[in-house]
Amino acid sequence: MTYTELCEKYNFQMPEYAKEYFDSFIAEYSKSKPVLSADDVNLVADATSLSDDARNELLRCAEIINSDDDAHICASFIAELTVYKRVPWVNYIYQDDHFNVEGLHKEQIGWVLVAVMLANTLKNKQPPKDLNEENIGAFRGYSQACFDKNGYWGILEWHWNMLCAAGCMFLFGILKFVPGEFTGDFPVITDGKNYISLAGGEFFVGKEGELVDCKEKSVGMTSFYEDDEKYIGNVINPDGSVELAQREFKKSEWSDFLRGGSHTLEIHIPPRVEYTPENFKKAFIMALDFYKDFYPEHKPKAICCYSWILSPQLKKVLPEDSKIIKVNNCLHLLPIISTFDADCMFIRKGSSLHTRIAEECDKGTEFHFGIMYVPVSEIDRFGENK
């Protein structure tokens, strides 16, 4: 199977980085190596206390994928990227719809792939039991939820399941972490003490410094240039607003800090947590200490996150003493174009925040998802003077 043929089996575009891995993958590919072996099914089933019915169904699903030529190569390649190579965690590779397999529901394809991830963690990484309980419980809970909802075993919402990060996302304090890599068009430079974020391309900028999706909504546009001597670009302030006037930074004083491929720790913010700078700092420190041994080859420069809760526009609907605003004031925020409204799936319907966002949207405000980063060197001082 060629890379083009492989991509045609997917219901979505493959990540940009996938192609560079395909040649080495296909050179070592063997149909005789199961995507998920019977031994690994039993390992996962025992660890997660799956019922006999669920265990037998997971075995059946694995056997179908293992025996189907196209499914085997597609699933093997996903496992190669997400489990064995640990390449950047890109959300859309963890969607429900991967490829069709006769005899399986889409939730069952994901179920097998998540089981591969969990088995790899149980066998090869072996985190402390209290950490892996989160993944074990998630696998069992999502499997049962699929059965309760659909009447067959599989896994629901598996792309948000903590196992989606190759079974290597763990809870520390109030936050969940996974090794990742910096992505996006926002180079960050440093003089060794300070950090400057830049818009790394051409973006339309709205009147409040937000990124917008068309010229009609904009009051200006960004651009970016660099050579051996300097960077010239539009600065992104720590609150996520973009400056329209360009600035120049000499490379004799400033150098790259975060660019595409820079090692990071990515976080997922669970619902209903106590969102405070103190709790974030504790979680950061615990996670960095753990991953330096768990993934010694991964040396993160910063902790990053993508979320609605990082929206710069939340200042319009939350008071200054809001816990969300207090934490966000400690972060370096990066704006993105993607928007949400009061019906965002992560906002509790009927809550005061839901109501306030709806009212602000009616006035014409666009709420944008945000990205944040915290340099590792700033974590010891995180939350001070904020």
Side-chain angles (χ1 to χ4, degrees), residues 106-180:
K106 64 179 183 179
E107 298 90 349
Q108 294 180 318
I109 298 171
W111 198 33
V112 170
L113 291 168
V114 171
V116 175
M117 299 170 183
L118 182 54
N120 183 66
T121 301
L122 290 169
K123 290 189 302 183
N124 299 321
K125 286 299 180 183
Q126 300 177 336
K129 185 177 180 181
D130 59 334
L131 282 181
N132 214 37
E133 279 299 316
E134 180 84 16
N135 289 341
I136 287 170
F139 187 88
R140 179 175 57 246
Y142 278 89
S143 299
Q144 185 68 52
C146 184
F147 183 81
D148 293 343
K149 179 179 179 179
N150 297 331
Y152 53 81
W153 292 98
I155 199 161
L156 290 183
E157 301 179 40
W158 80 287
H159 49 302
W160 281 113
N161 183 331
M162 294 310 93
L163 300 173
C164 75
C168 296
M169 179 180 275
F170 303 110
L171 178 68
F172 298 92
I174 65 168
L175 303 173
K176 296 178 179 180
F177 295 78
V178 64

Side-chain angles (χ1 to χ4, degrees), residues 154-209:
I155 199 161
L156 290 183
E157 301 179 40
W158 80 287
H159 49 302
W160 281 113
N161 183 331
M162 294 310 93
L163 300 173
C164 75
C168 296
M169 179 180 275
F170 303 110
L171 178 68
F172 298 92
I174 65 168
L175 303 173
K176 296 178 179 180
F177 295 78
V178 64
E181 294 185 5
F182 191 69
T183 59
D185 296 317
F186 305 103
V188 180
I189 58 177
T190 183
D191 62 357
K193 181 179 179 181
N194 303 295
Y195 300 90
I196 297 291
S197 311
L198 299 169
E202 295 184 344
F203 300 97
F204 294 113
V205 182
K207 62 182 179 180
E208 296 184 359

Side-chain angles (χ1 to χ4, degrees), residues 276-340:
T276 67
E278 296 76 17
N279 284 340
F280 267 60
K281 180 178 179 179
K282 289 177 184 177
F284 292 166
I285 291 171
M286 285 190 289
L288 286 168
D289 183 62
F290 172 78
Y291 281 108
K292 77 178 190 304
D293 297 321
F294 194 68
Y295 272 112
E297 71 278 11
H298 192 85
K299 303 184 186 305
K301 291 185 173 183
I303 292 176
C304 298
C305 182
Y306 163 87
S307 177
W308 70 272
I309 212 167
L310 302 170
S311 170
Q313 289 76 37
L314 287 177
K315 285 187 175 181
K316 291 178 173 288
V317 293
L318 292 173
E320 289 185 5
D321 62 353
S322 158
K323 291 180 178 179
I324 290 176
I325 298 302
K326 284 183 176 180
V327 170
N328 287 0
N329 284 342
C330 301
L331 309 170
H332 297 266
L333 297 182
L334 300 172
I336 55 177
I337 296 173
S338 299
T339 61
F340 65 90

Side-chain angles (χ1 to χ4, degrees), residues 194-231:
N194 303 295
Y195 300 90
I196 297 291
S197 311
L198 299 169
E202 295 184 344
F203 300 97
F204 294 113
V205 182
K207 62 182 179 180
E208 296 184 359
E210 75 278 23
L211 298 186
V212 292
D213 60 6
C214 63
K215 183 177 181 179
E216 288 70 27
K217 299 177 183 177
S218 72
V219 294
M221 194 170 188
T222 69
S223 65
F224 178 75
Y225 171 81
E226 67 173 313
D227 57 24
D228 292 340
E229 298 181 352
K230 60 185 175 297
Y231 306 91

